[in-house]
Amino acid sequence: IYLTVEKARVEPFSTKSRFARVAANEIAIAASEGFISNRLDDGVFTNKWMITADGIEFLEEISDDFSGD
């Protein structure tokens, strides 16, 4: 899930991309947890998975856990 959220941060990916097909389960979990989304605004959606504010927080927490901070 970390790698999926990181990819959405660095390089938002298409909902129909090869990566989306391969990582479908991880994307479902990340989206369900609110770490990634394809919503730009209320009622406005795109075909790209992008990181959310919660996703950035998730990445920071994981990084802190690994760095020992």
Side-chain angles (χ1 to χ4, degrees):
I1 296 168
Y2 177 90
L3 295 175
T4 300
V5 176
E6 177 65 13
K7 179 162 178 67
R9 182 185 73 81
V10 174
E11 182 184 352
F13 51 93
S14 166
T15 56
K16 294 183 179 182
S17 66
R18 182 178 187 283
F19 179 80
R21 288 190 301 275
V22 170
N25 291 332
E26 292 79 4
I27 291 167
I29 294 167
S32 294
E33 293 296 325
F35 300 153
I36 62 174
S37 179
N38 65 338
R39 186 172 69 186
L40 291 174
D41 202 358
D42 287 341
V44 180
F45 295 86
T46 183
N47 69 338
K48 298 280 186 181
W49 285 110
M50 301 165 288
I51 195 167
T52 64
D54 286 344
I56 292 170
E57 185 176 321
F58 167 75
L59 292 180
E60 289 172 351
E61 288 175 7
I62 297 294
S63 294
D64 289 348
D65 287 348
F66 282 111
S67 68
D69 291 340

